[in-house]
Amino acid sequence: MSSAPMIRPKPNGSNQDIRVVYSLMIINKAGGLVYQRDFNTSLIKLSINEYLVLAGTFQGVHAITKQLTPSQLGIPSSQRTGLEVLETAFFRMTCFQTVSGTKFLLFTEPQQPNVDNIMRKIYELYADYVMKNPFYQMEMPIRCEAFERHLLSYLRAK
């Protein structure tokens, strides 16, 4: 395969295979793409416009799927979630939405174990190195070298 960062599950005595994280996108609450990074060199490269369209399209699909929750389940609209996982034979897209409406889209292999733990750690890095950065403006593209460095370090160390 390529020299992409590998995700290895924590040792627990099992013989789980090494998995790959393909890509990460962060979308602001308005649907704008604020961060995108590919971690696998074998991916087909999209143009920046295609990534922007993908982010905006996901925002709309997420909003629609949030409204599709059957009302007879008794879930208040404030607690309904939109699309959280989309799985194909070739990849799994996992969405984590923060309380502020920011969405993290993580693209991995379909069999990737512990995606919730990986997503939680990515969010912690975001909170520590982006949100606590006094020069970062909310809803703007993320250009934070410390976040980038720690994210790559985490994905390579797993």
Side-chain angles (χ1 to χ4, degrees):
M1 206 165 240
S2 71
S3 61
M6 297 301 205
I7 301 299
R8 293 181 180 90
K10 291 183 180 177
N12 61 3
S14 67
N15 286 331
Q16 293 179 322
D17 296 330
I18 296 171
R19 304 291 182 212
V20 176
V21 170
Y22 294 129
S23 184
L24 172 68
M25 295 174 66
I26 302 176
I27 303 171
N28 66 21
K29 65 182 174 186
L33 182 65
V34 294
Y35 181 83
Q36 189 283 321
R37 174 73 188 244
D38 291 331
F39 300 105
N40 189 308
T41 57
S42 67
L43 295 175
I44 296 173
K45 297 296 177 201
L46 299 177
S47 71
I48 188 63
N49 286 338
E50 290 170 319
Y51 281 118
L52 292 170
V53 169
L54 179 59
T57 301
F58 180 81
Q59 179 76 1
V61 169
H62 190 270
I64 291 168
T65 57
K66 185 176 180 179
Q67 297 302 316
L68 291 176
T69 304
S71 58
Q72 53 268 49
L73 293 177
I75 300 171
S77 62
S78 63
Q79 295 179 359
R80 294 179 186 172
T81 62
L83 180 63
E84 293 181 348
V85 177
L86 174 70
E87 191 167 326
T88 73
F90 304 105
F91 71 90
R92 178 193 306 155
M93 181 198 71
T94 306
C95 176
F96 168 70
Q97 182 174 340
T98 67
V99 175
S100 66
T102 301
K103 294 169 194 67
F104 290 74
L105 301 181
L106 187 65
F107 296 85
T108 64
E109 283 189 340
Q111 301 82 19
Q112 173 66 50
N114 304 318
V115 174
D116 291 344
N117 293 338
I118 296 168
M119 192 70 86
R120 187 175 305 114
K121 181 62 177 178
I122 291 171
Y123 178 66
E124 287 175 13
L125 294 172
Y126 169 82
D128 287 344
Y129 297 103
V130 175
M131 297 309 295
K132 293 178 183 176
N133 181 342
F135 301 106
Y136 177 68
Q137 295 179 0
M138 291 289 294
E139 308 299 318
M140 297 304 292
I142 297 170
R143 298 195 191 333
C144 181
E145 188 177 311
F147 172 67
E148 189 81 19
R149 188 175 56 250
H150 284 88
L151 178 64
L152 288 173
S153 175
Y154 168 68
L155 292 176
R156 287 188 179 131
K158 290 294 291 165

